[in-house]
Amino acid sequence: DSGVTQTPKHLITATGQRVTLRCSPRSGDLSVYWYQQSLDQGLQFLIQYYNGEERAKGNILERFSAQQFPDLHSELNLSSLELGDSALYFCASSPGGGGPVGETQYFGPGTRLLVL
Amino acid sequence: QQPVQSPQAVILREGEDAVINCSSSKALYSVHWYRQKHGEAPVFLMILLKGGEQKGHEKISASFNEKKQQSSLYLTASQLSYSGTYFCGTAGNKLTFGGGTRVLVKP
């Protein structure tokens, strides 16, 4: 158990809908990262928040947005869902901001999203 | 840019050794290694820092060649528990993961 929690565990929805995925980082961690992992694919970095501010952005679609709240939990919002958005979404946390060297990231169990 | 991992997959017998390589076209500050078992979250194995020493986890060790911008992960005397997909991540302002190497250790 990494100490990172994600809800819900599974989500089934229809195309065109909007969903919100939630992540609570490990106690004391200030950074939250979001990743997308499609079937048999690698981990695609979406976005990082550090202490409430966006720190780094990856291949995140405009239909997707995220935020980190004062209590440091984070939400990833996915809208106008398409079939291709079906994937496992992981959140990870780390103590600091990452920086050029990076830090150990602790991954949550993931949310499996199925868009029908 | 995503680092390139090789091989894409490897099948081992328990007790055998294997090497997984990770190459980047960009200068590396560090290389991170994670293992993901099927249906589970990736789990951190180690970080190798530029100018740093080789670090190990169980009988898994790694090296970092800064000049070649490469890292290698060594699975020594593999155990059944080593099965999974191994990802390397290269750090710049954000961690970028390679495509993964699937490892299957058979009895």
Side-chain angles (χ1 to χ4, degrees), chain A residues 71-104:
Chain A
D71 67 352
L72 301 177
H73 91 270
S74 178
E75 292 181 356
L76 179 67
N77 300 295
L78 315 176
S79 61
S80 303
L81 285 167
E82 302 175 358
L83 296 178
D85 296 328
S86 295
L88 195 52
Y89 290 85
F90 286 107
C91 116
S93 73
S94 71
V101 172
E103 292 182 294
T104 301

Coordinates of all heavy atoms in Angstrom, one line a residue, chain A residues 71-104:
Chain A
D71 N -6.3 21.2 0.6 CA -5.9 20.0 1.4 C -5.0 19.0 0.6 O -4.7 17.9 1.1 CB -7.2 19.3 1.9 CG -8.0 18.6 0.8 OD1 -7.6 18.8 -0.4 OD2 -8.9 17.9 1.1
L72 N -4.6 19.4 -0.6 CA -3.7 18.7 -1.4 C -4.3 17.5 -2.2 O -3.6 17.0 -3.0 CB -2.4 18.2 -0.7 CG -1.6 19.4 0.0 CD1 -0.5 18.8 0.8 CD2 -1.1 20.4 -1.1
H73 N -5.5 17.2 -2.0 CA -6.1 16.2 -2.9 C -6.3 16.8 -4.3 O -6.3 18.1 -4.4 CB -7.4 15.6 -2.3 CG -8.6 16.3 -2.7 ND1 -9.2 17.4 -2.0 CD2 -9.5 16.1 -3.8 CE1 -10.3 17.8 -2.6 NE2 -10.5 17.0 -3.7
S74 N -6.4 16.0 -5.2 CA -6.5 16.4 -6.6 C -7.6 15.8 -7.3 O -8.0 14.6 -7.0 CB -5.1 16.1 -7.4 OG -5.2 16.5 -8.7
E75 N -8.1 16.4 -8.3 CA -9.2 15.9 -9.2 C -8.8 16.1 -10.6 O -8.2 17.1 -11.0 CB -10.5 16.6 -8.9 CG -11.1 16.3 -7.5 CD -12.4 16.9 -7.2 OE1 -12.9 17.7 -8.1 OE2 -13.0 16.7 -6.1
L76 N -9.1 15.0 -11.4 CA -8.9 15.0 -12.8 C -10.3 15.0 -13.5 O -11.0 14.0 -13.2 CB -8.0 13.9 -13.3 CG -7.7 13.7 -14.8 CD1 -6.8 14.9 -15.3 CD2 -7.1 12.4 -15.1
N77 N -10.6 16.0 -14.2 CA -11.9 16.1 -14.9 C -11.7 15.7 -16.4 O -10.9 16.3 -17.1 CB -12.4 17.5 -14.8 CG -12.7 17.9 -13.3 OD1 -13.5 17.3 -12.6 ND2 -11.9 18.9 -12.9
L78 N -12.5 14.8 -16.8 CA -12.5 14.4 -18.2 C -13.9 14.6 -18.8 O -14.9 14.2 -18.3 CB -12.2 12.9 -18.3 CG -11.0 12.3 -17.4 CD1 -10.9 10.8 -17.6 CD2 -9.7 13.0 -17.8
S79 N -13.9 15.4 -19.9 CA -15.2 15.8 -20.4 C -15.3 15.4 -21.9 O -14.3 15.0 -22.5 CB -15.4 17.3 -20.3 OG -14.4 18.0 -21.0
S80 N -16.5 15.4 -22.4 CA -16.8 15.0 -23.8 C -16.1 13.7 -24.1 O -15.3 13.6 -25.1 CB -16.3 16.1 -24.8 OG -17.0 17.3 -24.5
L81 N -16.3 12.8 -23.3 CA -15.5 11.5 -23.4 C -15.7 10.8 -24.7 O -16.8 10.8 -25.3 CB -15.9 10.6 -22.2 CG -15.3 11.0 -20.9 CD1 -16.0 10.3 -19.7 CD2 -13.8 10.8 -20.8
E82 N -14.6 10.2 -25.2 CA -14.6 9.4 -26.4 C -14.2 8.0 -26.0 O -13.6 7.7 -25.0 CB -13.6 10.0 -27.4 CG -13.9 11.5 -27.7 CD -12.9 12.1 -28.6 OE1 -11.9 11.4 -28.9 OE2 -13.0 13.3 -29.0
L83 N -14.5 7.1 -27.0 CA -14.1 5.7 -26.7 C -12.6 5.5 -26.4 O -12.3 4.7 -25.6 CB -14.5 4.8 -28.0 CG -16.0 4.7 -28.3 CD1 -16.1 3.9 -29.6 CD2 -16.8 4.1 -27.2
G84 N -11.8 6.3 -27.1 CA -10.4 6.2 -26.9 C -9.9 6.7 -25.6 O -8.7 6.5 -25.2
D85 N -10.8 7.3 -24.8 CA -10.4 7.7 -23.4 C -10.4 6.6 -22.4 O -9.9 6.7 -21.3 CB -11.3 8.9 -22.9 CG -11.2 10.1 -23.8 OD1 -10.1 10.4 -24.3 OD2 -12.2 10.8 -24.0
S86 N -10.9 5.4 -22.8 CA -10.9 4.3 -22.0 C -9.5 3.9 -21.6 O -8.7 3.7 -22.5 CB -11.6 3.1 -22.7 OG -13.0 3.4 -22.9
A87 N -9.2 3.8 -20.3 CA -7.8 3.6 -19.9 C -7.8 3.5 -18.4 O -8.8 3.7 -17.7 CB -6.9 4.8 -20.3
L88 N -6.6 3.2 -17.9 CA -6.4 3.2 -16.5 C -5.7 4.5 -16.2 O -4.7 4.9 -16.8 CB -5.4 2.0 -16.1 CG -5.2 1.6 -14.7 CD1 -6.6 1.3 -14.0 CD2 -4.4 0.3 -14.7
Y89 N -6.3 5.2 -15.2 CA -5.7 6.5 -14.9 C -5.1 6.4 -13.5 O -5.8 6.1 -12.5 CB -6.8 7.6 -14.9 CG -7.3 7.9 -16.3 CD1 -8.2 7.1 -16.9 CD2 -6.7 9.0 -17.0 CE1 -8.7 7.4 -18.2 CE2 -7.1 9.2 -18.3 CZ -8.1 8.4 -18.9 OH -8.5 8.7 -20.2
F90 N -3.8 6.7 -13.4 CA -3.1 6.6 -12.2 C -2.8 8.0 -11.7 O -2.5 8.9 -12.5 CB -1.7 5.9 -12.3 CG -1.8 4.4 -12.5 CD1 -1.6 3.8 -13.7 CD2 -2.1 3.6 -11.4 CE1 -1.7 2.5 -13.8 CE2 -2.2 2.3 -11.5 CZ -2.0 1.7 -12.7
C91 N -2.8 8.2 -10.4 CA -2.2 9.4 -9.8 C -1.1 8.9 -8.9 O -1.0 7.8 -8.5 CB -3.3 10.1 -9.0 SG -3.1 10.3 -7.3
A92 N -0.1 9.8 -8.8 CA 1.1 9.5 -8.0 C 1.4 10.7 -7.2 O 1.0 11.8 -7.5 CB 2.3 9.1 -8.9
S93 N 2.1 10.5 -6.1 CA 2.5 11.7 -5.3 C 4.0 11.6 -4.9 O 4.6 10.5 -5.0 CB 1.6 11.8 -4.0 OG 2.0 10.8 -3.1
S94 N 4.5 12.7 -4.7 CA 5.9 12.8 -4.2 C 6.1 13.9 -3.2 O 5.2 14.8 -3.2 CB 6.9 13.0 -5.4 OG 6.8 14.3 -5.9
P95 N 7.1 13.8 -2.4 CA 7.2 14.8 -1.3 C 7.4 16.3 -1.8 O 6.8 17.2 -1.2 CB 8.5 14.4 -0.5 CG 8.6 12.9 -0.8 CD 8.1 12.8 -2.3
G96 N 8.2 16.5 -2.8 CA 8.6 17.8 -3.2 C 8.0 18.1 -4.6 O 7.1 17.5 -5.1
G97 N 8.7 19.0 -5.3 CA 8.3 19.4 -6.6 C 8.8 18.6 -7.8 O 8.5 18.9 -8.9
G98 N 9.7 17.7 -7.5 CA 10.3 16.9 -8.5 C 11.6 17.4 -9.0 O 12.7 16.9 -8.8
G99 N 11.6 18.6 -9.7 CA 12.8 19.2 -10.2 C 13.4 18.4 -11.3 O 12.9 17.4 -11.8
P100 N 14.6 18.8 -11.7 CA 15.3 18.2 -12.9 C 15.7 16.7 -12.6 O 15.8 15.9 -13.6 CB 16.5 19.1 -13.2 CG 16.8 19.8 -11.9 CD 15.4 20.0 -11.2
V101 N 16.0 16.4 -11.4 CA 16.4 15.0 -11.1 C 15.2 14.1 -10.9 O 15.2 13.0 -11.2 CB 17.3 15.0 -9.8 CG1 17.5 13.6 -9.4 CG2 18.6 15.7 -10.1
G102 N 14.1 14.7 -10.5 CA 12.9 13.9 -10.2 C 13.0 13.3 -8.8 O 14.0 13.3 -8.1
E103 N 11.8 12.8 -8.4 CA 11.7 12.2 -7.1 C 11.0 10.8 -7.2 O 10.3 10.6 -8.2 CB 10.9 13.0 -6.2 CG 11.4 14.4 -5.8 CD 10.4 15.1 -4.8 OE1 9.3 15.4 -5.3 OE2 10.7 15.2 -3.7
T104 N 11.2 10.1 -6.2 CA 10.4 8.8 -6.1 C 8.9 9.2 -6.1 O 8.5 10.1 -5.4 CB 10.7 8.1 -4.8 OG1 12.1 7.8 -4.8 CG2 9.9 6.8 -4.7

